Amino acid sequence: MDKNLRVKQWIWIGPPLIMVSLLTLVVLSYAVYLGVHDVNLLKKNFSYTGFGNFVKIWHDARAWSSVWKTVKFVFIGTLLEAILGLALALYLHKDFKLRKITRSLLLIPMIMTPVVSALIWRIFYDPYSGIINYLLGIIGLGGKHDWLGNPDMALYSLIITDIWQWTPFVFLILASGLDSLPAEPYEAAKVDGASRFNTFWHITLPLLKPVILIAVMLRVIDSIKTFDLIYVMTRGGPALKTETLNMYTYVQGMNNFNISYASALSISITIVLTILFVYFYKNVIAQKN
Amino acid sequence: MVRTFKKASVYTFVASMLLVSACSNNSQSDNAKSGQENAKYKGQEITALLEQHPTSNALQKMLPEFEKETGIKVNLEIIPEGDIPPKALLDFSSKTGRYDIVMADWIFGQGFQNGDYIEPLNHYIDNPSLNKNYNGDDFLKSYREMMKKDGKYYGLPVYGESTFFMYRKDLFEKYGIQVPKTFDDLMNAAKTIHDKTNGDIAGITLRGQQGIEAVYIWAGILGGFGAKWLDDKGKSAIASPESIAATKFYSDLLRKYGPTGVANFGWQENRLLFQQGKAAMTIDATVNGAFNEDPKESSIVGKVGYAPVPVQSQSLKGKSSSLDSHGFYLSKESKHKEAAWLFMSWATNKEQQLKSLKLEPNCGITSITAINSPEFSQKFGTFKDVMLEAINNGNPDYLPLVPNINEVINNTGIAISKSLLGASTPELALKEANDKNNDLLK
């Protein structure tokens, strides 16, 4: 490469690179600094503890139980969102009269601020004046279900809201994926007399797979980070049944003011997720492409 | 001791003023002097972090008077109550001095004090050139004395509350129920209502949401059963037999006769259910009285009776009514402490409280003069006496006043929620919380 050009490159790339790395590095190193100390905002003094916080996390039953709840929330939510999103995308791929407007209307939940949709669903779920119990009562399924107060049900009620809000997102990605599929394989399948199911199973699904994987990955990342929904609807209760890892980190940091412990938790989450996703990306998504 | 000193200093002040006016023989010099005093703070800018509360709204409306009079510029930052502690603590610990004044519940105020983040106020209270707005004797004594630690005042009470028992007079009469004095009476009354109405009207509604919400009401039952949060050595004592009995009672009562969804009820949900006439009794904050009697809000105006929270044990170690006071605290990092003090003492004195009462519905005011005013009786007369009784008998140790109170409440709240839902027995759940709390209190 021309030496002059290389210098010019750095002139352009340099400043933003410095800015971005400063911003990330400063924040990240401060988080690490906090993570290896024992800062509690209520105490003036703090000291260096090394890996103390991380060892504590390893032995923290509440943290592990929140990991399990996070996995449940993410797995069930994302799975159903992917299935529903795919079904909707396939269904609305056909041409019909109100196709455009139906597609736009479907996107409304996704555009809504999560706090707002959480508040709306909290009202929907209200055992006394909520619309869900009212409708169930009319069709004879009982009108006194305690959606958010029943410990066996609360997490699933949150998942339902999450599905309602984020299926449109999966739909949006898959629908544009479907639109960009080549027409030739379909024509060939038609000539060969393949059934609709076979066409779907052997052509659409394999062709769409990379897009589905991307959508799922984005949803998993987002879903692990879910906070507003849980904070507004249950605050981690009842009986800790909806306290995900993110929520627990918040409680440690902003309720108990154990800033260092919360930082250590966040760092652990970040490390584990980064490893998982780099592996996932390299071995599944990148390979398929 | 403090008060005698204060009195003495007031006399000295008056005497010296007389002397000054006698010497100058000109009354105008007095005005000139106070003008000079004000001018001293002119142009100073202070910032106060306030809770979203009627008092803060009223202060916002009255603020121009203060700014005009003193020339001090005051910025009010009004945010939800729950966001105050983290925001204040982040500011305190980073020492930016952004907030000169912070308004918060004393349960956090004592944490700020413990962290050495706020100023003792005696220096200002006793300073004759600064205390013209301050009248300590006009504050309800319980509120004022709560904010005292090691003989020093750390906060000025802005508003406060206690808890009391509220019941539907009409339903009690209809089913021949006496106002409960003990928790057994309370259980029976709830059963009667529940059985006679086939569960259409909940016997009782209480807060059940995991965290401070449930803990705040549960603590009253704890006190009423004769239990305390901490033993004499400052160790956690919530696994005591009395505490287990109280938790069992709370869980049984709500599971048998409480409303559906109670495990997720906070202050708002509980208040609304009672106001809509869907429950016959509740125990909650005295401020709920104002909501019950507000025709715009409530469908049970005039039908509510008020009484003290029942007690079970005659040998009470704790008490069953809370005492909760929210105050203004002066940051150690403030750059204009005297100006900030002037604002704090102005905002809490009786004239402002009287005006605040007219501007916004607020039954939590702390000034005796304002509470005894006709406006107060006209607005809140139905429950005023029971409320004052509750405040006077209020338990200042209703919640454990330790620095990491939030974490203690969090641990305990989980135990209560588990017990309420039957996810664990009260014994096991409380034992777990007790151990965790003791780790914290080491």
Side-chain angles (χ1 to χ4, degrees), chain B residues 190-206:
Chain B
K191 182 180 186 332
T192 310
I193 300 274
H194 179 87
D195 293 352
K196 293 265 168 77
T197 61
N198 287 323
D200 279 347
I201 294 181
I204 188 163
T205 176
L206 297 174

Side-chain angles (χ1 to χ4, degrees), chain B residues 283-346:
Chain B
I283 297 170
D284 213 299
T286 43
V287 66
N288 286 29
F291 288 93
N292 294 336
E293 305 302 334
D294 179 358
K296 273 182 282 177
E297 285 261 353
S298 154
S299 60
I300 50 166
V301 178
K303 290 182 187 165
V304 184
Y306 301 88
V309 179
V311 287
Q312 192 76 345
S313 160
Q314 291 310 311
S315 61
L316 287 184
K317 276 183 256 169
K319 286 182 187 173
S320 60
S321 279
S322 75
L323 186 67
D324 180 43
S325 183
H326 294 238
F328 281 146
Y329 313 109
L330 181 54
S331 166
K332 277 226 154 131
E333 298 297 325
S334 164
K335 288 175 189 78
H336 304 294
K337 287 185 186 142
E338 291 188 352
W341 159 261
L342 280 180
F343 175 72
M344 282 164 75
S345 54
W346 171 84

Side-chain angles (χ1 to χ4, degrees), chain A residues 41-44 62 122 127-128 144 146 148-149 151 233-240 251-252 254-258, chain B residues 85-86 89-90 93 115-117 199 209-210 259-261 263-264 269 273 403-404 406-407 410-411 414 417-418 421:
Chain A
L41 290 182
L42 291 162
K43 291 180 195 141
K44 258 206 161 159
R62 192 167 160 191
R122 206 178 155 166
Y128 285 88
K144 278 216 163 173
D146 190 359
L148 296 171
M233 290 176 79
T234 59
R235 297 218 167 194
L240 282 188
V251 169
Q252 281 292 359
M254 290 293 128
N255 184 73
N256 301 351
F257 308 119
N258 292 322
Chain B
L89 281 168
L90 284 172
S93 59
D116 202 19
Y117 293 133
Q209 194 182 71
Q210 181 191 308
T260 316
N264 215 18
E269 288 80 9
L273 196 85
N404 28 23
N406 250 14
E407 201 166 347
N410 189 270
N411 292 338
I414 293 165
S417 188
K418 279 183 179 168
L421 292 159

Side-chain angles (χ1 to χ4, degrees), chain A residues 6-21:
Chain A
R6 195 174 284 176
V7 174
K8 271 188 191 161
Q9 260 184 349
W10 279 109
I11 291 175
W12 291 109
I13 300 174
L17 197 69
I18 292 170
M19 272 297 280
V20 171
S21 37

